[in-house]
Short mmCIF file of all heavy atoms in Angstrom, two decimals:
data_model
loop_
_atom_site.label_atom_id
_atom_site.label_comp_id
_atom_site.label_asym_id
_atom_site.label_seq_id
_atom_site.Cartn_x
_atom_site.Cartn_y
_atom_site.Cartn_z
N LYS A 210 8.98 33.80 -6.78
CA LYS A 210 10.05 33.73 -5.80
C LYS A 210 10.78 32.42 -6.19
O LYS A 210 10.23 31.42 -6.52
CB LYS A 210 9.51 33.61 -4.39
CG LYS A 210 8.91 34.81 -3.83
CD LYS A 210 8.64 34.67 -2.32
CE LYS A 210 7.66 33.58 -2.02
NZ LYS A 210 7.22 33.51 -0.62
N VAL A 211 12.11 32.50 -6.01
CA VAL A 211 12.94 31.35 -6.27
C VAL A 211 13.71 31.03 -4.99
O VAL A 211 14.29 31.91 -4.43
CB VAL A 211 13.93 31.51 -7.45
CG1 VAL A 211 14.78 30.29 -7.63
CG2 VAL A 211 13.19 31.93 -8.72
N ARG A 212 13.64 29.74 -4.60
CA ARG A 212 14.45 29.38 -3.35
C ARG A 212 15.27 28.20 -3.74
O ARG A 212 14.94 27.39 -4.65
CB ARG A 212 13.48 29.12 -2.21
CG ARG A 212 12.72 27.89 -2.24
CD ARG A 212 11.98 27.64 -0.94
NE ARG A 212 11.58 26.21 -0.88
CZ ARG A 212 10.42 25.73 -1.29
NH1 ARG A 212 9.51 26.51 -1.73
NH2 ARG A 212 10.17 24.41 -1.18
N GLU A 213 16.36 28.05 -2.92
CA GLU A 213 17.20 26.87 -3.08
C GLU A 213 17.19 26.18 -1.74
O GLU A 213 17.50 26.76 -0.73
CB GLU A 213 18.62 27.25 -3.49
CG GLU A 213 19.52 26.02 -3.63
CD GLU A 213 20.87 26.40 -4.07
OE1 GLU A 213 21.06 26.74 -5.28
OE2 GLU A 213 21.83 26.31 -3.24
N ASP A 214 16.76 24.90 -1.77
CA ASP A 214 16.74 24.07 -0.52
C ASP A 214 17.92 23.07 -0.53
O ASP A 214 18.23 22.47 -1.58
CB ASP A 214 15.43 23.27 -0.46
CG ASP A 214 14.23 24.16 -0.30
OD1 ASP A 214 14.36 25.34 -0.06
OD2 ASP A 214 13.05 23.65 -0.40
N GLN A 215 18.55 22.93 0.61
CA GLN A 215 19.50 21.85 0.82
C GLN A 215 18.61 20.68 1.34
O GLN A 215 17.86 20.84 2.28
CB GLN A 215 20.58 22.23 1.85
CG GLN A 215 21.42 23.45 1.42
CD GLN A 215 22.17 23.15 0.13
OE1 GLN A 215 22.77 22.15 -0.06
NE2 GLN A 215 22.19 24.22 -0.75
N VAL A 216 18.77 19.55 0.70
CA VAL A 216 17.87 18.44 1.00
C VAL A 216 18.63 17.11 1.11
O VAL A 216 19.76 16.94 0.75
CB VAL A 216 16.82 18.27 -0.15
CG1 VAL A 216 15.95 19.48 -0.28
CG2 VAL A 216 17.47 17.88 -1.48
N LEU A 217 17.89 16.16 1.76
CA LEU A 217 18.27 14.70 1.66
C LEU A 217 17.19 14.12 0.76
O LEU A 217 15.97 14.29 0.99
CB LEU A 217 18.23 14.09 2.99
CG LEU A 217 19.26 14.50 4.08
CD1 LEU A 217 19.01 13.78 5.38
CD2 LEU A 217 20.65 14.33 3.58
N ASN A 218 17.67 13.48 -0.35
CA ASN A 218 16.70 12.91 -1.27
C ASN A 218 16.10 11.63 -0.75
O ASN A 218 16.50 11.20 0.39
CB ASN A 218 17.33 12.73 -2.67
CG ASN A 218 18.47 11.71 -2.65
OD1 ASN A 218 18.38 10.67 -1.97
ND2 ASN A 218 19.48 11.92 -3.46
N PRO A 219 15.16 11.00 -1.37
CA PRO A 219 14.49 9.79 -0.88
C PRO A 219 15.42 8.65 -0.54
O PRO A 219 15.09 7.82 0.33
CB PRO A 219 13.55 9.45 -1.98
CG PRO A 219 13.18 10.74 -2.64
CD PRO A 219 14.48 11.48 -2.61
N ARG A 220 16.61 8.65 -1.12
CA ARG A 220 17.58 7.59 -0.77
C ARG A 220 18.66 7.97 0.22
O ARG A 220 19.62 7.28 0.48
CB ARG A 220 18.27 7.09 -2.08
CG ARG A 220 17.26 6.41 -2.98
CD ARG A 220 17.92 5.73 -4.07
NE ARG A 220 16.95 5.16 -4.94
CZ ARG A 220 16.94 3.89 -5.32
NH1 ARG A 220 17.90 3.07 -4.92
NH2 ARG A 220 16.04 3.45 -6.15
N GLY A 221 18.45 9.29 0.82
CA GLY A 221 19.35 9.71 1.83
C GLY A 221 20.58 10.52 1.35
O GLY A 221 21.36 10.93 2.17
N GLY A 222 20.71 10.75 0.09
CA GLY A 222 21.81 11.48 -0.45
C GLY A 222 21.56 13.00 -0.28
O GLY A 222 20.43 13.44 -0.37
N LYS A 223 22.65 13.72 -0.09
CA LYS A 223 22.51 15.17 -0.03
C LYS A 223 22.45 15.80 -1.36
O LYS A 223 23.03 15.27 -2.34
CB LYS A 223 23.75 15.78 0.73
CG LYS A 223 23.74 15.52 2.21
CD LYS A 223 24.87 16.36 2.88
CE LYS A 223 24.68 16.20 4.44
NZ LYS A 223 25.67 17.08 5.08
N GLY A 224 21.68 16.87 -1.48
CA GLY A 224 21.56 17.52 -2.75
C GLY A 224 20.86 18.91 -2.63
O GLY A 224 20.65 19.34 -1.46
N ILE A 225 20.62 19.49 -3.74
CA ILE A 225 19.87 20.80 -3.71
C ILE A 225 18.57 20.61 -4.53
O ILE A 225 18.46 19.69 -5.36
CB ILE A 225 20.73 21.93 -4.39
CG1 ILE A 225 21.08 21.65 -5.85
CG2 ILE A 225 21.96 22.22 -3.54
CD1 ILE A 225 21.59 22.85 -6.58
N TYR A 226 17.59 21.47 -4.16
CA TYR A 226 16.38 21.48 -4.91
C TYR A 226 15.99 22.93 -5.15
O TYR A 226 15.88 23.66 -4.13
CB TYR A 226 15.25 20.74 -4.18
CG TYR A 226 14.25 20.07 -5.10
CD1 TYR A 226 14.23 18.68 -5.17
CD2 TYR A 226 13.43 20.82 -5.95
CE1 TYR A 226 13.31 18.06 -6.07
CE2 TYR A 226 12.54 20.22 -6.80
CZ TYR A 226 12.49 18.82 -6.83
OH TYR A 226 11.59 18.22 -7.72
N GLY A 227 15.85 23.38 -6.38
CA GLY A 227 15.37 24.74 -6.70
C GLY A 227 13.91 24.71 -6.92
O GLY A 227 13.41 23.86 -7.64
N VAL A 228 13.20 25.64 -6.22
CA VAL A 228 11.78 25.72 -6.34
C VAL A 228 11.39 27.18 -6.81
O VAL A 228 11.76 28.11 -6.18
CB VAL A 228 11.09 25.37 -5.03
CG1 VAL A 228 9.50 25.51 -5.13
CG2 VAL A 228 11.43 23.95 -4.54
N VAL A 229 10.55 27.23 -7.85
CA VAL A 229 9.97 28.50 -8.25
C VAL A 229 8.53 28.54 -7.70
O VAL A 229 7.71 27.69 -8.05
CB VAL A 229 9.89 28.63 -9.77
CG1 VAL A 229 9.32 29.92 -10.21
CG2 VAL A 229 11.35 28.42 -10.38
N SER A 230 8.24 29.53 -6.81
CA SER A 230 6.96 29.73 -6.27
C SER A 230 6.28 30.85 -6.98
O SER A 230 6.84 32.01 -7.09
CB SER A 230 7.03 30.06 -4.75
OG SER A 230 7.45 28.90 -4.02
N MET A 231 5.08 30.62 -7.41
CA MET A 231 4.29 31.64 -8.18
C MET A 231 3.50 32.48 -7.19
O MET A 231 3.05 31.98 -6.18
CB MET A 231 3.39 31.03 -9.18
CG MET A 231 4.11 30.16 -10.19
SD MET A 231 5.26 31.17 -11.09
CE MET A 231 5.76 29.98 -12.35
N LYS A 232 3.35 33.75 -7.48
CA LYS A 232 2.57 34.65 -6.71
C LYS A 232 1.10 34.74 -7.22
O LYS A 232 0.28 35.48 -6.66
CB LYS A 232 3.16 36.01 -6.67
CG LYS A 232 4.53 35.98 -5.87
CD LYS A 232 5.11 37.35 -5.71
CE LYS A 232 6.43 37.24 -4.97
NZ LYS A 232 7.07 38.60 -4.84
N ASN A 233 0.84 34.00 -8.32
CA ASN A 233 -0.50 34.00 -8.93
C ASN A 233 -0.90 32.57 -9.18
O ASN A 233 -0.06 31.69 -9.35
CB ASN A 233 -0.49 34.78 -10.27
CG ASN A 233 -0.28 36.25 -10.08
OD1 ASN A 233 -1.04 36.92 -9.42
ND2 ASN A 233 0.79 36.77 -10.63
N LYS A 234 -2.18 32.37 -9.36
CA LYS A 234 -2.68 31.11 -9.88
C LYS A 234 -2.75 31.34 -11.42
O LYS A 234 -3.05 32.44 -11.86
CB LYS A 234 -4.05 30.74 -9.34
CG LYS A 234 -3.97 30.36 -7.85
CD LYS A 234 -5.35 29.94 -7.40
CE LYS A 234 -5.33 29.68 -5.90
NZ LYS A 234 -4.54 28.55 -5.46
N ALA A 235 -2.53 30.29 -12.21
CA ALA A 235 -2.64 30.38 -13.63
C ALA A 235 -4.14 30.13 -14.00
O ALA A 235 -4.75 29.16 -13.51
CB ALA A 235 -1.79 29.33 -14.29
N ILE A 236 -4.71 31.00 -14.75
CA ILE A 236 -6.12 30.87 -15.14
C ILE A 236 -6.23 30.85 -16.65
O ILE A 236 -5.77 31.77 -17.34
CB ILE A 236 -6.89 32.14 -14.57
CG1 ILE A 236 -6.65 32.35 -13.10
CG2 ILE A 236 -8.36 32.02 -14.93
CD1 ILE A 236 -7.25 31.34 -12.20
N GLY A 237 -6.86 29.82 -17.17
CA GLY A 237 -7.10 29.72 -18.62
C GLY A 237 -8.59 29.64 -18.94
O GLY A 237 -9.41 29.15 -18.09
N ILE A 238 -9.00 30.17 -20.06
CA ILE A 238 -10.42 30.20 -20.40
C ILE A 238 -10.53 29.69 -21.80
O ILE A 238 -9.83 30.14 -22.69
CB ILE A 238 -11.04 31.64 -20.26
CG1 ILE A 238 -10.67 32.25 -18.89
CG2 ILE A 238 -12.47 31.61 -20.59
CD1 ILE A 238 -9.55 33.15 -18.87
N ILE A 239 -11.56 28.81 -22.06
CA ILE A 239 -11.91 28.38 -23.36
C ILE A 239 -13.28 28.98 -23.66
O ILE A 239 -14.32 28.52 -23.19
CB ILE A 239 -11.92 26.87 -23.49
CG1 ILE A 239 -10.57 26.27 -23.12
CG2 ILE A 239 -12.36 26.44 -24.86
CD1 ILE A 239 -10.58 24.82 -22.96
N PRO A 240 -13.27 30.11 -24.38
CA PRO A 240 -14.57 30.73 -24.78
C PRO A 240 -15.14 29.96 -25.96
O PRO A 240 -14.48 29.76 -26.94
CB PRO A 240 -14.15 32.16 -25.11
CG PRO A 240 -12.77 32.08 -25.53
CD PRO A 240 -12.14 30.95 -24.81
N ILE A 241 -16.39 29.62 -25.90
CA ILE A 241 -17.07 28.96 -27.07
C ILE A 241 -18.32 29.76 -27.40
O ILE A 241 -19.21 29.85 -26.48
CB ILE A 241 -17.37 27.47 -26.81
CG1 ILE A 241 -15.96 26.78 -26.56
CG2 ILE A 241 -18.07 26.88 -27.99
CD1 ILE A 241 -16.07 25.29 -26.41
N ASP A 242 -18.44 30.21 -28.60
CA ASP A 242 -19.62 31.01 -28.94
C ASP A 242 -20.75 30.12 -29.43
O ASP A 242 -20.61 28.89 -29.46
CB ASP A 242 -19.28 32.10 -29.99
CG ASP A 242 -18.86 31.58 -31.35
OD1 ASP A 242 -19.17 30.40 -31.67
OD2 ASP A 242 -18.17 32.33 -32.08
N ASP A 243 -21.87 30.70 -29.70
CA ASP A 243 -23.11 29.93 -30.03
C ASP A 243 -22.96 29.17 -31.38
O ASP A 243 -23.75 28.24 -31.63
CB ASP A 243 -24.32 30.91 -30.20
CG ASP A 243 -24.68 31.52 -28.82
OD1 ASP A 243 -24.31 30.90 -27.81
OD2 ASP A 243 -25.34 32.56 -28.84
N GLU A 244 -21.96 29.51 -32.18
CA GLU A 244 -21.72 28.76 -33.44
C GLU A 244 -20.71 27.69 -33.29
O GLU A 244 -20.29 27.04 -34.28
CB GLU A 244 -21.36 29.77 -34.56
CG GLU A 244 -22.44 30.79 -34.88
CD GLU A 244 -22.02 31.82 -35.87
OE1 GLU A 244 -20.83 31.85 -36.29
OE2 GLU A 244 -22.85 32.70 -36.18
N GLY A 245 -20.16 27.46 -32.06
CA GLY A 245 -19.17 26.42 -31.87
C GLY A 245 -17.76 26.83 -32.15
O GLY A 245 -16.83 26.02 -32.27
N TYR A 246 -17.52 28.15 -32.21
CA TYR A 246 -16.13 28.65 -32.46
C TYR A 246 -15.55 29.01 -31.12
O TYR A 246 -16.26 29.34 -30.17
CB TYR A 246 -16.18 29.96 -33.34
CG TYR A 246 -16.42 29.61 -34.76
CD1 TYR A 246 -17.66 29.35 -35.26
CD2 TYR A 246 -15.33 29.73 -35.70
CE1 TYR A 246 -17.84 29.07 -36.61
CE2 TYR A 246 -15.52 29.47 -37.03
CZ TYR A 246 -16.83 29.16 -37.45
OH TYR A 246 -17.01 28.92 -38.81
N THR A 247 -14.16 28.94 -31.04
CA THR A 247 -13.49 29.38 -29.86
C THR A 247 -12.50 30.50 -30.32
O THR A 247 -12.37 30.78 -31.54
CB THR A 247 -12.67 28.26 -29.16
OG1 THR A 247 -12.24 28.74 -27.89
CG2 THR A 247 -11.51 27.74 -30.02
N TYR A 248 -11.86 31.10 -29.36
CA TYR A 248 -10.98 32.24 -29.58
C TYR A 248 -9.64 31.95 -29.03
O TYR A 248 -9.50 31.69 -27.83
CB TYR A 248 -11.60 33.56 -29.04
CG TYR A 248 -12.88 33.85 -29.74
CD1 TYR A 248 -14.07 33.18 -29.38
CD2 TYR A 248 -12.98 34.79 -30.74
CE1 TYR A 248 -15.29 33.42 -30.00
CE2 TYR A 248 -14.15 35.01 -31.44
CZ TYR A 248 -15.35 34.33 -31.06
OH TYR A 248 -16.53 34.56 -31.69
N LEU A 249 -8.62 31.97 -29.88
CA LEU A 249 -7.24 31.77 -29.43
C LEU A 249 -6.57 33.10 -29.37
O LEU A 249 -6.89 34.02 -30.15
CB LEU A 249 -6.55 30.85 -30.35
CG LEU A 249 -7.12 29.44 -30.50
CD1 LEU A 249 -6.34 28.61 -31.55
CD2 LEU A 249 -7.12 28.75 -29.16
#
Side-chain angles (χ1 to χ4, degrees):
K210 287 191 299 188
V211 179
R212 74 173 199 267
E213 182 177 287
D214 293 350
Q215 299 298 317
V216 298
L217 295 178
N218 66 37
R220 296 191 181 231
K223 285 188 173 186
I225 62 169
Y226 212 113
V228 178
V229 180
S230 290
M231 301 301 189
K232 295 184 180 180
N233 293 300
K234 292 186 185 291
I236 308 290
I238 306 99
I239 300 170
I241 298 185
D242 66 23
D243 293 339
E244 296 174 358
Y246 284 76
T247 192
Y248 297 79
L249 300 175

